[in-house]
Amino acid sequence: MTNQLPLLEVRDLDIAYGDVQVVFAMNMVVGQQELVGLVGGNGSGKSTILRAVSGMLKPKRGSILLQGQEISGISPHQLTDLGVAHVPMGRQLFPAMSVEENLEMGAYLKRSKANKKQNLEKVYAFFPRLLEKRKLFAGSLSGGEQQMIAIGRALMSEPTILLMDEPSLGLAPKVVQEVMQVIHSLRTLHLTVLLVEQNVRQVLKITDRAYVLEHGKLVIEGQSQGLLENDAVKRAYLGL
Amino acid sequence: MSEHTSQTRGMTTVPPLVLLAIVVVTIGLYPLIFGQFMNLGISILLFAGFALAWDILGGWAGQNSLGNAVFVGIGAYSVAILHQFGIAPWWGMLVGIGVSGLLAWGWGALTFRLRGSYFTLSTIAVAEIIRLIALNEDWLTSGSEGKNLGSLPSLFGLDLFDRRVEFYLVLLFVAALLAFGHWLKTAKLGFYLRAVREDEDSAMALGINPARAKLTAFVLMGMFTSIGGGLWLLYLGRIDPDTALVIPVSIQIALLAIIGGRGTIYGPLVGAFIIGIPSEIFRSVLKEANLLVYGVLIVLVIVYLPKGIVGTFEEWLYKRQHPLEKRGS
Amino acid sequence: MLFEANQINVQFGGVKAVHNVSLTLQRGEILGLIGPNGAGKTTLFNALTGFVAKTGQVQLEGRDITNLPPFELPRLGVARTFQVERPFEDLTVLENVTISSFLRQTNAKAARNAALTTLERVGLLDRANQKCSELNLARRRRLEIAKALALEPRVLFLDEVIAGLNPPAQAEMIEFIRGLAKSGIGIVMVEHIMKVIMSLSDRVICMAFGEKIAEGTPQQIAQDPAVLDAYLGGIDD
Amino acid sequence: MEFFSQGLQGLIDGLLTGGVYAMIGAGMSLIFGVMRVVNFGHGDFVILGMYAAFASNQYLKLDPYVSLLVVLPLAFVFGFVLHRAILAKLLGANDQTTKLATLGLGLIATNLVLLQFGTEPKTVYTEYATNAWRIPLFGLELRISEVRFYAVIITALLIFGLNMMLYRTELGRAIRATAQNRLGAELQGVDTKKIYAIVYGIGVVLAAAAGVLLLPLLSATPTLGSVFTNKSFVVTILGGLGSLPGAIGGGLILGVVESLGSSLFPLMNSHFGANYRDAYGLIIFLIVLLFRPEGLFGRTVKRV
Amino acid sequence: MKKIGAVVGVSLLAAIGVASLGSAQNATLKIGAITTLTGRLAEFGRQQKAGFTVAINELNAKAGSKGQQFELLLEDSASDVNKGLAAAEKLVNGNVGVILNEYSSSIVKAQAQYLSRQKVPNIIVSASDESITKPGFDYVYRINPPTDEYAKVLFQIFTDTGIKSMAILAGNGAFEKSVQASALEQAKLKNVEVVGNQVYDKGLTDFRPILNGFKARNPDAVFLVGYQEDSVAVMRQAKEVGLNPKLFAGGAAGFALPEFITGSGSASEYVVTATAWVPELKTPGNKNLYIKLVNALGGSEPTYHAAQGYAAVLVAADAIKRAGSATDREAINKALLSTDLQTSYAKIKFENFEGYKNQNRVSMVAEQVQKIGGRLQFVPIYPRSLFDAKLLFPTPAWDKR
């Protein structure tokens, strides 16, 4: 599985907000073209880890390696330049810009500007619904479609790794499934994805491997298949 | 749950009343030492009073008014207009207080539904409209020519045109505002205003009606300012729109309080002296650069001492009295 | 019945954030409110305490309080904390709590004394003159509760006051909340540490997608498949 | 008949004046729209523009309109540096603080002008400044000031250019993105601090351009700053804070209201007239502020 | 904090005190003066200061090195009423016997009241608001004429040219409205119909609506009162809208300044304006005064404010000489009452009339902007007895020039 250098590696990561430590000694590996889930209940620290990886906050201790290179402490817009794309929590779209403009913003940096046209076509091929609605304001689309824009926008930057933060949040159950299907099909694009979600069933269904967190600590990790039957997962969620 | 209960420490060692007395008496000595600079002293002290009044809304409730010249003008014009009918200045001041209070009440009731900069913008607009009315309604205000005070009745045998009498009247005004500030610091209203200033939602959760708290502060500010306006009229002997109702007066009032330190009781007073005295020196020394220095000072204070002079000092005092204890539960 | 909410609906734009939720609360009872992120728990809190427009009916001891503005509720005995604790940073701990105690005391001295008593009750007396901005998280949580307690409420809404605390602090807080309930206050609490909510609550309501999906004793809730689904994610249909 | 002819002429004049108001308001609105900062020193930058044009006329013998080529780039650099050096330090501070800082910057700007040029009004005389086209209409003769017409054309071009920039270029897209969602923009690799400085620079350019265009018509005096600031408040509130098309609408409305108020009231033998000129705009401003704070044309766009 | 503030304040005040009073023990005769050297009205202060300086130099040169020298203690009011009062107080404390009081009516009035209460004679140099010498303060004297005179000289022209109707436009400042009131009174007296009467607020000056209104009424004369920036704008706009009266008349202030011509260019031609002084006046030594004032102003053109400043110093010096003291305020006050002094500006005598007290009477001059040798310049034309040049009348329409 990890026959080559892992794309992303997190070692002994401690993260704190002020005096409150929320992540304890986290270790994680994401290999090339892997779809890895990072799951846990409310406040388990999963989104915090993602924020550290995307440069939005600085860990207290430990290292974050992108293709073997230390990236902790690098600012978000520099990380984007290194090929880390972030589909943030709450999507963070530009509501009064058209769908197409939102997508184009994903190719803001030089590294992805050259292939903007092709990439746009790829994204539309992937999300035909966005092509239909490309002239509409992003803010006028449904939640699920907005999530597609957020993903499409991230794809536009030609990422080496895609970080997704709770894409199902605030979406109706049916739409959640749809979004998960989309994420699953991302593997056809040979992408590496780190997916942070609380919706563990869905995640375990579509990912290769998963890490389960409880109260900032790694509870269990392994192949997604079968992990759901593990009692530790239920414990992590329900605390029972 | 409670680990140890130590005695609570007071922040300042000087009791408020003593501090107030020291300050008032110190200022009260001014005419004895600087009898030759009464005009300077009165104008600085008067603007300190305006700034202290501004602080009730601006400092304690966190709503910046850039239109306080309106209340200055109402105070001054009330006295001046009624004076023509032989009505004594103190009655004129009462009328001014009433009119200012009413205006503030109506205006606040309308505008405090809005948050943020909208209130400030409305103060500028109202101030400009009132200035235009004062300029154009000659039958009431004598327009740009302004109103003169002729002779004045004596107040308990004191000559109201005597600079010393005026000085002590203004000092009384300032002392009343300082005492009010001390009261505010411990009173329900003061706590409510600070709560609203910091976070309106949190304040509501504690049973505070933010609109009502702000309105109270606004009305009080208007009434106090208009007393100062009446005193300014006595001191100037006259009033016209260009003197009292222009935007620079409003801005100056606000800036004195901001530079001195908002919501600190003594901040506006300190601000008035710190700006007033050098500007008198600059008047004769720096000439044209005078106002420039003023502007630079403002930006420096805002960027580097956002809490103003007294606020920064208090913070320093607090840090000295409360060395950072090792935290963690 | 101390507190009762019927058919509460909250709508943001076209989205139903809370849909037909009802709940009841007795004196001295602790009602736990759970659910995955985005289930609408905090929105429900905001609706019940008047911060968010809603339809439905809210009653306090039979009195209709549905349409009262948020600042009227504390006087009637309904108090709340905020999920992200919001002390008045520039004020001292004592001043923060004094603001609350002015609700019941008119005199400054009495208010101060009441605030000191409350601080002693939550164990913050030794921090009375410290600025809130310097408090650690555990103390900020306690301050948040002190501010609500100083209002002398009969109904208390606690929004995640335990999560984030270290285990000893958690234990202290749990004991403290139990004590509050014993004194007769009805408590509604949102909390996402299951262990805590399950051990502390008399009854638990579970929400998902803005709706109430289960209600019962902690044991019933723990075994309710709907709750499990809500947490682990929907099953295919 | 007099009512009609005066009204029509007043309307034309009002639209011409309003065009320049629109430009002042557009800068203010842009700054607010992107940075959420009410620029209380905005009018002082108009004054700076007037004096810059005056100085280039005095020392470089440039026609005020030609001096736009010199003044505008300088204004941009000035605004950019001002933001980098001072306002950027206040990012994250509460908006009261930033507001007061812009007020202080305005004071410094005017007083620098005062120190350099003194207080006497400065005028640049251009022969074309008083020319007007005459348009016969139903036996009436309407007049359109040539120079003011050009000023409106230049305003339109600048605003059109700004709009093109905002909607057709990468930079413009980044500016709009920053305005709509700063975090979202940051995640796409946008250096939003730099965007802020650029936007402030553009805001100053628009203010200064208005100043330059006004110089052939009015005299420059250092103390007029607050008058312009007030106009820009009125324009932006009428049009909705942060909306560029709104600023244009607001500017035109303000110009027309002032012009018609000054010309039509006297016909009714009213005590009102030019003496209350500023009040007409301010009263509408207050009404809009109280009852429609999002502006006359405002649509609130939902945030995602 | 407060205490530190007070200590700092006290020491600063002491410093000002020492600095300002340090020179009080010399043997020179001191005349106090306040004017606006900084702030929005500084231009007028510059003119007055030039007049003061020329007069002091003249006095001292005449006295020679043996005679007693005069010294001017000049204070800046910084265009601010509070600062003006502080300045007045400083002079009062400096034991000055007489004070020259400046330009802006709203600043001057507060000072005049204060000074009369302190019983310090003060001579108002250029402030034109009627109410200064009307309420009848003791110790207040005024060199410059009341605003009636501005209107009178222009109405003389109206009468001579047979003007039957006029429209008037004035700023809402104290001076402008005062002239406006005088003009309306004169119009009634001289049977000139007033077909338009508008007041405008200072600031962004768009006069077009007003001027268009005037144009529709087609008056014989348009009477304008305003400051410099307004005078320029109003004439430019009059040309733009095509307002064609037989006569444009300006009531001094902005219209009498050299900048009026440079600012409005060809639009200024044929405009008639009242003014209090011109270099062409055949008063004794006037040519010489003009040259000295130009020098004192570093080459720029002097206005009547400078000449008034010059005359004020001479009047003060004259009173001091006759009182035999530069510090005895009562004696100086008495001496001022009996002033009868011919200066290059005008003859000065303080009289009580028409409700005025201690008011100097100066008959005003009218001048017209005419093109001479291809250059636009002010040409004095009225009173006709004093000047040779003729009024060009009627003003040709804009498109016929």
Side-chain angles (χ1 to χ4, degrees):
Chain A
M1 163 84 224
T2 45
N3 47 4
Q4 60 202 96
L5 193 63
L7 190 59
L8 180 74
E9 189 174 359
V10 164
R11 281 189 203 152
D12 293 322
L13 199 63
D14 284 0
I15 308 176
Y17 291 113
D19 53 350
V20 187
Q21 187 162 350
V22 290
V23 173
F24 301 85
M26 179 68 187
N27 282 292
M28 181 173 70
V29 171
V30 181
Q32 296 279 6
Q33 298 193 22
E34 240 190 329
L35 178 49
V36 175
L38 182 56
V39 294
N42 293 354
S44 58
K46 55 193 188 305
S47 286
T48 304
I49 294 172
L50 198 75
R51 285 227 275 283
V53 173
S54 64
M56 286 156 74
L57 55 84
K58 219 179 131 84
K60 196 168 130 192
R61 204 181 38 240
S63 50
I64 304 167
L65 304 172
L66 182 70
Q67 290 172 315
Q69 187 197 344
E70 180 64 63
I71 56 163
S72 65
I74 293 183
S75 77
H77 69 252
Q78 286 168 314
L79 266 180
T80 312
D81 219 7
L82 292 175
V84 180
H86 193 165
V87 182
M89 197 191 285
R91 306 185 282 271
Q92 310 296 345
L93 297 182
F94 310 114
M97 283 166 50
S98 69
V99 170
E100 184 153 305
E101 281 188 307
N102 267 276
L103 294 177
E104 284 176 332
M105 273 310 291
Y108 179 77
L109 287 173
K110 262 201 198 82
R111 62 189 294 274
S112 42
K113 214 170 258 179
N115 302 326
K116 190 159 91 180
K117 264 223 167 90
Q118 295 95 296
N119 288 334
L120 196 58
E121 273 164 27
K122 273 189 212 164
V123 170
Y124 282 143
F126 199 71
F127 297 114
R129 201 143 24 124
L130 294 186
L131 180 64
E132 274 167 46
K133 304 195 168 178
R134 52 193 270 269
K135 297 279 182 208
L136 300 179
F137 275 166
S140 66
L141 269 59
S142 75
E145 289 165 335
Q146 289 188 7
Q147 193 61 58
M148 289 176 198
I149 301 175
I151 295 170
R153 184 176 67 177
L155 294 178
M156 289 293 292
S157 68
E158 300 184 347
T160 47
I161 182 166
L162 196 57
L163 311 177
M164 307 187 83
D165 198 353
E166 305 238 15
S168 77
L169 194 67
L171 299 180
K174 262 206 132 99
V175 185
V176 171
Q177 281 194 20
E178 189 183 356
V179 168
M180 289 300 165
Q181 282 315 309
V182 165
I183 295 170
H184 185 64
S185 56
L186 282 175
R187 35 172 69 262
T188 61
L189 301 174
H190 309 293
L191 271 168
T192 309
V193 179
L194 175 60
L195 172 63
V196 163
E197 253 299 335
Q198 64 171 354
N199 196 323
V200 63
R201 278 202 180 125
Q202 297 282 358
V203 170
L204 293 183
K205 235 167 56 189
I206 62 167
T207 51
D208 302 319
R209 287 186 309 117
Y211 293 80
V212 182
L213 285 175
E214 185 187 9
H215 304 324
K217 289 179 188 133
L218 184 60
V219 178
I220 190 168
E221 63 155 303
Q223 298 294 324
S224 298
Q225 222 147 29
L227 206 57
L228 195 57
E229 310 317 318
N230 195 316
D231 270 352
V233 175
K234 268 182 210 169
R235 244 196 342 268
Y237 269 79
L238 295 176
L240 300 171
Chain B
M1 190 151 180
S2 74
E3 295 136 26
H4 40 112
T5 48
S6 66
Q7 199 52 41
T8 61
R9 282 165 297 185
M11 224 195 85
T12 43
T13 42
V14 193
L17 269 179
V18 176
L19 182 64
L20 178 64
I22 291 173
V23 170
V24 172
V25 169
T26 309
I27 301 176
L29 292 175
Y30 180 94
L32 306 180
I33 306 168
F34 301 107
Q36 297 197 311
F37 297 100
M38 293 304 292
N39 285 358
L40 175 65
I42 294 173
S43 57
I44 290 180
L45 205 52
L46 192 64
F47 269 78
F50 290 145
L52 283 164
W54 182 91
D55 203 39
I56 299 172
L57 184 69
W60 294 88
Q63 302 289 313
N64 289 344
S65 157
L66 286 179
N68 268 25
V70 168
F71 300 115
V72 175
I74 289 176
Y77 273 104
S78 301
V79 176
I81 291 169
L82 292 176
H83 172 76
Q84 291 174 303
F85 302 102
I87 295 168
W90 40 94
W91 301 122
M93 272 189 202
L94 268 184
V95 170
I97 292 171
V99 174
S100 296
L102 275 176
L103 176 70
W105 184 80
W107 175 2
L110 286 173
T111 52
F112 282 140
R113 292 186 291 132
L114 309 168
R115 285 191 189 184
S117 295
Y118 287 112
F119 170 72
T120 307
L121 293 178
S122 84
T123 62
I124 297 175
V126 172
E128 275 297 284
I129 291 172
I130 301 257
R131 181 182 71 85
L132 287 167
I133 291 174
L135 267 175
N136 288 304
E137 302 309 310
D138 294 27
W139 56 274
L140 182 66
T141 61
S142 303
S144 49
E145 191 180 289
K147 290 265 180 218
N148 293 311
L149 280 186
S151 58
L152 280 177
S154 69
L155 174 69
F156 307 122
L158 297 170
D159 176 7
L160 287 179
F161 281 139
D162 185 319
R163 285 295 190 237
R164 278 159 204 264
V165 173
E166 286 169 359
F167 183 89
Y168 286 111
L169 282 177
V170 175
L171 180 57
L172 194 66
F173 168 59
V174 167
L177 277 160
L178 290 175
F180 181 78
H182 275 297
W183 174 80
L184 213 50
K185 179 115 189 174
T186 56
K188 182 170 173 173
L189 176 64
F191 276 103
Y192 277 23
L193 291 179
R194 278 182 283 172
V196 169
R197 174 187 73 195
E198 301 274 319
D199 185 336
E200 289 198 13
D201 282 344
S202 274
M204 283 198 280
L206 303 183
I208 301 168
N209 179 346
R212 202 171 73 188
K214 286 190 280 186
L215 194 55
T216 311
F218 194 20
V219 169
L220 284 168
M221 171 182 86
M223 298 203 295
F224 269 118
T225 306
S226 97
I227 297 174
L231 292 171
W232 203 19
L233 174 79
L234 295 185
Y235 161 71
L236 293 178
R238 65 180 314 283
I239 201 71
D240 59 42
D242 268 354
T243 304
L245 286 168
V246 288
I247 292 176
V249 170
S250 297
I251 291 182
Q252 198 186 349
I253 290 172
L255 288 180
L256 293 179
I258 291 159
I259 289 172
R262 279 174 278 184
T264 57
I265 304 182
Y266 288 94
L269 182 70
V270 172
F273 276 90
I274 292 229
I275 296 295
I277 293 170
S279 98
E280 174 62 13
I281 298 173
F282 294 155
R283 181 176 69 81
S284 1
V285 181
L286 287 177
K287 305 274 182 204
E288 272 85 0
N290 177 356
L291 292 163
L292 182 65
V293 173
Y294 191 57
V296 171
L297 199 64
I298 289 156
V299 172
L300 287 181
V301 166
I302 287 166
V303 176
Y304 296 103
L305 304 176
K307 295 188 167 188
I309 293 160
V310 174
T312 308
F313 173 75
E314 279 184 353
E315 202 168 59
W316 171 81
L317 202 67
Y318 171 84
K319 285 207 174 117
R320 228 183 52 154
Q321 288 180 353
H322 299 260
L324 217 56
E325 280 132 308
K326 190 87 196 106
R327 296 193 294 192
S329 31
Chain C
M1 193 64 59
L2 177 61
F3 185 88
E4 193 172 352
N6 282 316
Q7 304 281 311
I8 301 299
N9 282 286
V10 178
Q11 202 135 337
F12 291 136
V15 185
K16 276 194 176 142
V18 173
H19 186 58
N20 277 346
V21 176
S22 303
L23 60 82
T24 60
L25 184 71
Q26 309 280 4
R27 272 173 56 87
E29 188 186 23
I30 299 178
L31 174 65
L33 193 54
I34 62 170
N37 279 353
K41 298 166 301 210
T42 296
T43 307
L44 180 64
F45 260 41
N46 286 338
L48 294 179
T49 50
F51 281 86
V52 157
K54 59 180 174 293
T55 61
Q57 200 194 29
V58 186
Q59 285 186 334
L60 181 70
E61 292 186 322
R63 181 182 164 175
D64 182 19
I65 58 167
T66 315
N67 295 317
L68 291 181
F71 50 82
E72 295 284 357
L73 295 177
R75 201 170 45 78
L76 300 174
V78 180
R80 67 165 296 176
T81 66
F82 286 93
Q83 182 179 11
V84 179
E85 67 287 342
R86 292 159 88 162
F88 306 114
E89 300 280 355
D90 248 14
L91 277 69
T92 64
V93 170
L94 176 59
E95 286 170 330
N96 260 282
V97 181
T98 308
I99 292 172
S100 301
S101 46
F102 266 115
L103 183 72
R104 306 287 176 198
Q105 319 287 341
T106 38
N107 161 313
K109 199 159 197 175
R112 189 185 142 93
N113 284 337
L116 286 169
T117 312
T118 311
L119 283 180
E120 175 146 43
R121 205 168 153 199
V122 300
L124 277 178
L125 194 57
D126 56 327
R127 305 283 165 163
N129 288 310
Q130 218 168 320
K131 285 199 180 171
C132 298
S133 47
E134 294 177 357
L135 294 184
N136 66 22
L137 182 76
R139 295 203 174 92
R140 287 165 82 92
R141 290 276 167 77
R142 281 194 254 166
L143 173 62
E144 190 71 12
I145 292 178
K147 281 164 65 185
L149 281 185
L151 300 169
E152 299 175 18
R154 286 177 294 165
V155 180
L156 186 56
F157 287 84
L158 298 176
D159 199 351
E160 299 203 8
V161 292
I162 294 175
L165 299 183
N166 61 24
Q170 281 186 9
E172 269 182 24
M173 187 65 92
I174 289 169
E175 269 324 294
F176 184 72
I177 292 171
R178 252 190 208 126
L180 289 181
K182 280 213 180 88
S183 73
I185 301 177
I187 296 172
V188 184
M189 61 184 302
V190 166
E191 192 53 70
H192 62 243
I193 303 181
M194 283 298 169
K195 233 179 269 171
V196 170
I197 207 108
M198 291 299 176
S199 69
L200 200 50
S201 312
D202 300 309
R203 257 182 326 124
V204 176
I205 287 176
C206 181
M207 286 179 74
F209 300 109
E211 294 183 50
K212 179 160 90 178
I213 55 165
E215 180 171 2
T217 62
Q219 289 73 25
Q220 291 169 332
I221 289 292
Q223 268 131 42
D224 194 320
V227 174
L228 204 63
D229 280 351
Y231 271 88
L232 300 184
I235 353 156
D236 309 79
D237 41 355
Chain D
M1 193 59 203
E2 193 181 14
F3 217 85
F4 176 72
S5 63
Q6 296 274 309
L8 201 57
Q9 181 68 51
L11 186 69
I12 291 173
D13 283 329
L15 289 173
L16 293 175
T17 311
V20 181
Y21 287 167
M23 180 145 67
I24 304 174
M28 175 100 149
S29 217
L30 181 72
I31 290 175
F32 183 86
V34 179
M35 302 159 68
R36 306 278 130 187
V37 166
V38 178
N39 190 23
F40 273 70
H42 204 68
D44 298 309
F45 297 135
V46 178
I47 301 291
L48 274 188
M50 282 181 118
Y51 275 93
F54 173 76
S56 20
N57 178 268
Q58 207 71 355
Y59 304 119
L60 307 174
K61 305 288 167 217
L62 293 181
D63 181 277
Y65 281 66
V66 178
S67 72
L68 279 173
L69 299 175
V70 182
V71 174
L72 298 194
L74 280 177
F76 178 78
V77 173
F78 177 76
F80 187 88
V81 171
L82 212 55
H83 189 275
R84 276 270 144 124
I86 292 164
L87 293 176
K89 291 195 165 54
L90 298 173
L91 280 178
N94 68 26
D95 69 327
Q96 307 272 3
T97 307
T98 324
K99 181 167 77 188
L100 294 165
T102 60
L103 187 76
L105 288 178
L107 274 180
I108 295 178
T110 1
N111 285 301
L112 278 175
V113 165
L114 208 145
L115 203 58
Q116 182 60 38
F117 296 98
T119 51
E120 54 175 305
K122 299 288 184 195
T123 341
V124 170
Y125 178 74
T126 50
E127 194 57 49
Y128 57 77
T130 51
N131 295 345
W133 290 301
R134 298 157 196 207
I135 299 165
L137 189 76
F138 312 125
L140 298 170
E141 184 201 71
L142 297 176
R143 291 194 174 222
I144 297 177
S145 153
E146 291 175 22
V147 66
R148 295 204 310 150
F149 184 76
Y150 294 136
V152 168
I153 296 295
I154 292 177
T155 302
L157 284 176
L158 276 174
I159 293 185
F160 179 74
L162 178 64
N163 229 40
M164 291 297 277
M165 190 276 277
L166 283 176
Y167 286 92
R168 292 275 185 279
T169 68
E170 288 280 318
L171 176 65
R173 199 153 52 212
I175 290 174
R176 285 185 296 133
T178 306
Q180 290 175 31
N181 190 334
R182 190 179 171 198
L183 172 64
E186 189 81 26
L187 287 173
Q188 309 316 314
V190 178
D191 182 350
T192 54
K193 270 194 170 181
K194 192 166 143 197
I195 295 286
Y196 279 176
I198 290 173
V199 164
Y200 203 75
I202 296 173
V204 174
V205 164
L206 290 174
V212 174
L213 294 181
L214 284 172
L215 190 64
L217 297 163
L218 298 172
S219 307
T221 37
T223 44
L224 270 182
S226 65
V227 177
F228 287 112
T229 306
N230 284 356
K231 298 283 178 212
S232 55
F233 288 153
V234 177
V235 169
T236 45
I237 292 291
L238 290 186
L241 262 174
S243 151
L244 217 49
I248 297 169
L252 296 179
I253 289 177
L254 178 64
V256 169
V257 163
E258 286 187 349
S259 177
L260 289 185
S262 313
S263 58
L264 296 186
F265 277 125
L267 294 181
M268 300 182 254
N269 279 327
S270 150
H271 166 62
F272 299 99
N275 51 348
Y276 274 108
R277 183 167 176 268
D278 285 348
Y280 308 134
L282 289 172
I283 287 167
I284 293 183
F285 165 81
L286 278 180
I287 293 171
V288 170
L289 195 65
L290 290 175
F291 301 106
R292 228 185 124 77
E294 72 275 18
L296 290 174
F297 323 107
R299 275 166 311 171
T300 35
V301 179
K302 187 170 53 125
R303 242 162 210 259
V304 176
Chain E
M1 191 63 219
K2 184 65 255 327
K3 273 181 286 179
I4 300 171
V7 169
V8 172
V10 162
S11 34
L12 284 173
L13 277 172
I16 317 171
V18 171
S20 61
L21 297 176
S23 57
Q25 299 309 317
N26 291 342
T28 51
L29 301 170
K30 292 187 176 60
I31 299 171
I34 307 166
T35 193
T36 51
L37 297 171
T38 56
R40 64 200 158 91
L41 303 166
E43 174 57 13
F44 300 105
R46 192 173 80 95
Q47 290 279 353
Q48 288 186 338
K49 188 182 171 188
F52 294 156
T53 316
V54 168
I56 289 280
N57 291 343
E58 214 168 79
L59 283 169
N60 288 341
K62 210 182 276 171
S65 54
K66 286 178 296 220
Q68 261 206 306
Q69 299 286 302
F70 281 90
E71 185 188 346
L72 189 78
L73 298 181
L74 184 60
E75 284 292 324
D76 177 18
S77 73
S79 312
D80 178 277
V81 67
N82 279 326
K83 290 191 173 136
L85 280 171
E89 183 177 48
K90 197 167 153 190
L91 290 174
V92 171
N93 292 326
N95 210 20
V96 171
V98 56
I99 293 172
L100 311 181
N101 206 338
E102 54 159 318
Y103 172 79
S104 157
S105 296
S106 57
I107 300 175
V108 165
K109 278 196 265 187
Q111 286 168 17
Q113 267 192 32
Y114 167 71
L115 291 172
S116 6
R117 264 188 244 118
Q118 302 292 323
K119 301 192 191 310
V120 182
N122 65 110
I123 303 169
I124 288 158
V125 180
S126 303
S128 320
D129 190 345
E130 311 267 300
S131 66
I132 291 171
T133 42
K134 273 221 166 133
F137 295 122
D138 294 321
Y139 302 94
V140 176
Y141 300 84
R142 183 156 79 166
I143 296 265
N144 59 315
T147 48
D148 290 353
E149 302 294 334
Y150 291 77
K152 271 182 198 159
V153 69
L154 294 171
F155 270 82
Q156 218 177 319
I157 300 177
F158 286 8
T159 313
D160 292 354
T161 50
I163 277 168
K164 295 276 184 297
S165 64
M166 72 159 193
I168 183 162
L169 169 63
N172 60 7
F175 166 74
E176 299 101 302
K177 276 170 94 170
S178 194
V179 175
Q180 182 200 26
S182 303
L184 291 174
E185 207 172 292
Q186 286 290 318
K188 209 179 257 171
L189 224 62
K190 299 266 166 78
N191 263 330
V192 174
E193 192 197 351
V194 179
V195 297
N197 177 15
Q198 284 282 302
V199 173
Y200 65 89
D201 188 31
K202 276 184 289 241
L204 266 188
T205 34
D206 179 6
F207 299 104
R208 295 172 193 86
I210 306 170
L211 298 175
N212 276 317
F214 287 179
K215 185 180 165 190
R217 307 278 166 96
N218 200 20
D220 288 345
V222 172
F223 196 122
L224 305 160
V225 201
Y227 285 104
Q228 186 193 326
E229 58 271 45
D230 306 336
S231 68
V232 170
V234 81
M235 286 317 297
R236 288 182 180 180
Q237 294 175 25
K239 183 178 175 199
E240 179 192 316
V241 306
L243 174 61
N244 285 313
K246 291 181 189 146
L247 189 71
F248 281 106
F255 293 90
L257 296 176
E259 287 81 5
F260 170 60
I261 299 180
T262 51
S264 13
S266 62
S268 69
E269 201 181 352
Y270 302 105
V271 175
V272 170
T273 176
T275 185
W277 170 85
V278 288
E280 291 85 350
L281 270 177
K282 292 179 178 104
T283 45
N286 199 26
K287 282 236 159 60
N288 215 355
L289 172 62
Y290 173 74
I291 294 163
K292 284 183 188 166
L293 287 175
V294 171
N295 285 334
L297 287 165
S300 54
E301 200 65 16
T303 63
Y304 61 86
H305 309 94
Q308 286 166 344
Y310 166 81
V313 170
L314 294 188
V315 169
D318 170 63
I320 288 172
K321 277 186 208 149
R322 282 186 291 118
S325 161
T327 52
D328 183 344
R329 290 162 183 169
E330 288 307 321
I332 293 174
N333 194 40
K334 221 182 215 160
L336 279 172
L337 280 173
S338 57
T339 296
D340 188 352
L341 185 72
Q342 177 67 54
T343 69
S344 307
Y345 161 66
K347 191 172 166 68
I348 311 234
K349 207 172 175 179
F350 298 112
E351 294 170 278
N352 300 337
F353 61 96
E354 293 166 15
Y356 297 110
K357 187 171 177 179
N358 298 336
Q359 170 69 55
N360 183 35
R361 281 181 137 148
V362 184
S363 57
M364 298 282 285
V365 174
E367 50 188 2
Q368 185 175 35
V369 180
Q370 297 183 358
K371 199 176 258 175
I372 292 179
R375 224 182 110 246
L376 290 169
Q377 59 189 76
F378 285 117
V379 177
I381 44 168
Y382 264 69
R384 277 193 290 197
S385 55
L386 295 182
F387 307 105
D388 308 325
K390 292 271 172 304
L391 171 75
L392 300 177
F393 184 88
T395 302
W398 294 108
D399 46 8
K400 307 242 160 54
R401 293 189 183 181

